[in-house]
Amino acid sequence: MEFSFPSDQLSPLYHYLLPSPALFSNQLLPENHVNWTQTPEAHVYSADLPGVRKEEIKVEVEDSRYLIIRTEAIDDSTKPAMDFKRKFRLPGSIDIDGISAKYEDGVLTVTVPRTFRRGGFYIDPADVPDRVEVLASAA
């Protein structure tokens, strides 16, 4: 499941709500947009951070509940290429110690692995009694 809203495809409702699209920027997504994708194994967050150095990116987990992605100056004399801060509430059933991040070609990807995987449900026929007693009849 992926949640992303492309900026080049405007909702038909957009044209009715605003008098003229020419009055507004074509960029509907904020600069600090983060794309979130679910896979059976993990939640994946990706953010475009062009021009930001790897040393300026901080990925933190707060109170084992929140994922924080932000940029921070390395020292007082410099400023990051862009100010960026996003905070996400982490879903349940994740492996906090397994969280990983990589920064490649201006794109930060944070992977939050799941700890719970749905497996098949199996009933051993030997565990089923030979006779099943009906306790209530169906209406």
Side-chain angles (χ1 to χ4, degrees):
M1 181 183 307
E2 183 173 323
F3 294 98
S4 182
F5 303 99
S7 61
D8 60 340
Q9 295 177 358
L10 301 176
S11 166
L13 188 57
Y14 172 82
H15 298 290
Y16 296 107
L17 295 175
L18 299 175
S20 171
L23 297 175
F24 300 93
S25 169
N26 288 337
Q27 180 81 15
L28 292 178
L29 298 176
E31 278 188 30
N32 59 355
H33 172 74
V34 175
N35 188 36
W36 170 63
T37 306
Q38 287 188 76
T39 67
E41 296 81 28
H43 298 271
V44 181
Y45 301 86
S46 61
D48 289 331
L49 301 173
V52 177
R53 296 187 317 196
K54 187 177 185 177
E55 298 81 24
E56 297 172 334
I57 299 172
K58 303 292 180 199
V59 178
E60 303 167 324
V61 175
E62 179 182 276
D63 298 330
S64 299
R65 295 179 135 188
Y66 299 99
L67 174 69
I68 300 172
I69 303 170
R70 63 186 171 100
T71 57
E72 184 178 86
I74 298 170
D75 54 39
D76 293 335
S77 64
T78 62
K79 185 178 175 185
M82 76 184 305
D83 289 326
F84 182 91
K85 183 174 181 180
R86 291 295 308 265
K87 185 175 184 177
F88 302 94
R89 183 176 174 108
L90 292 169
S93 303
I94 60 163
D95 178 14
I96 291 179
D97 295 328
I99 294 175
S100 64
K102 72 175 184 175
Y103 184 63
E104 194 172 287
D105 298 328
V107 178
L108 173 70
T109 305
V110 180
T111 304
V112 181
R114 296 175 186 242
T115 56
F116 175 75
R117 291 189 186 150
R118 290 186 177 154
F121 186 76
Y122 177 74
I123 298 175
D124 187 4
D127 294 338
V128 177
D130 293 335
R131 184 167 178 243
V132 178
E133 217 177 297
V134 178
L135 300 176
S137 60

